[in-house]
Amino acid sequence: MTLDTVMQTLKPVDDGLRERAARVIPGGMYGHLNVTLLPASYPQFYRSGNGARLTDVDGNQYIDFMCGFGPMISGYKNPVVEAAAAAQLAEGDALGGPTPRMVELAELLVDTVGPADWAMFGKNGTDATSLAVTIARAATGKRKLLKGRSAYHGANAWFNPNPLGSTPEDRANIIFFDFNDIASLEAAAAEAGDDLAGIIVSPFKHDGPVDDQRLAEVDFARAVRALADRNDAVLIMDEVRTGFRLVTGSAWEPLGVAPDLIAYSKAIANGWALSAVVGIDALAQAASDIYATGSFWYSGVAMAAGIANIGLLRETDTPAHMDHVGTLLRTGLQAQAEENGFEVVQSGPAAMPYLRFVDDPGHAAALAFTGAAAARGVLLHPVHNWFLSTAHTEQDIADALDRTAEAFAEARSVLG
């Protein structure tokens, strides 16, 4: 009996919840948090989180390198963020209108993000990217949108990678280009002609699960900016996944490129449901003219959490910390993989690492390794990038590497 199998017998509460969920939730679970296709050692349901660690409903503890798929940047149950949220909750959350926190948060984002002159808010990443596209089309009076091939920008009818439930008309105005390929970008713009409303792009390519992550080349980033300018189109930066992990501001600022609109979510409120679009003055009128709203878009608690969280991230060089601990993790995993005869590729920034096994049809090695790691209390993902946070310490990395050494060894024994 493998340790993975033993772990299954230690999850009776999780198993019971899965059975109950299957009766009342379509498919038992849905979306990117569905663990059905992952090894059985992964829990579906959790009880609590603290710092860089999670506890599932059966009391099993994990060093977490997924951070809720990105939202937890300052650590689970961060005391500063939670105190700010609790103070606002004591006064009220969804009221007859927004609280003063909305203005304060907008001011903070404008002060923090170089290209930003204003901010609007929603609840999740799809809200933000949809809002940005709508503003771009309203401002330009044009329809076509360029996006990276296979890039993910939300779960609406325009961008959802699963077309089931949408129509060809929903995607008729989307034209694809290849990331870091200027010729492909220019060809897509030529196809759009005089009807190009905008270009939506992520700071780096993080599509997965087959392709490696790729940082943006300087020439490509600047070509995107120049193409938007030549065509009177809007450059939209999707920082839903990357926001504040790479740069405390706009991710392409170090490349000398400022977008017109930036979509944020995930990490800006450290796990509280919040998203934002920030933009330049030239687009403020269009942003005001469109109709965009939601009953919970103006709630004060998440905005109070966002103010506290961004304040924490501005106090120190948090991207440098995440890069440091991420590099320690990456270096340790590389050595362990080689010791066990695995060829792996690690790509992307260390704060958002991705590990791929070479010659791994069906992701058998990735599943074996991450399953064995989960059985030992380390949460990684076989086909999605991971996330580091400011709560991850050198000791967390050392503890995790002690366990992943065993996970690599088990994966080698299972695969032969």
Side-chain angles (χ1 to χ4, degrees), residues 401-415:
L401 288 172
D402 285 342
R403 305 176 194 188
T404 56
E406 296 179 1
F408 271 118
E410 180 179 320
R412 171 50 65 205
S413 68
V414 169
L415 296 171

Side-chain angles (χ1 to χ4, degrees), residues 93-95 97-98 102 121-124 127 272-275 293-303:
D93 186 22
L95 305 173
M102 184 176 188
F121 302 102
K123 278 298 177 188
N124 56 57
D127 290 342
W272 291 89
L274 182 69
S275 63
T293 193
S295 297
F296 301 102
W297 282 17
Y298 309 91
S299 300
V301 172
M303 293 181 183

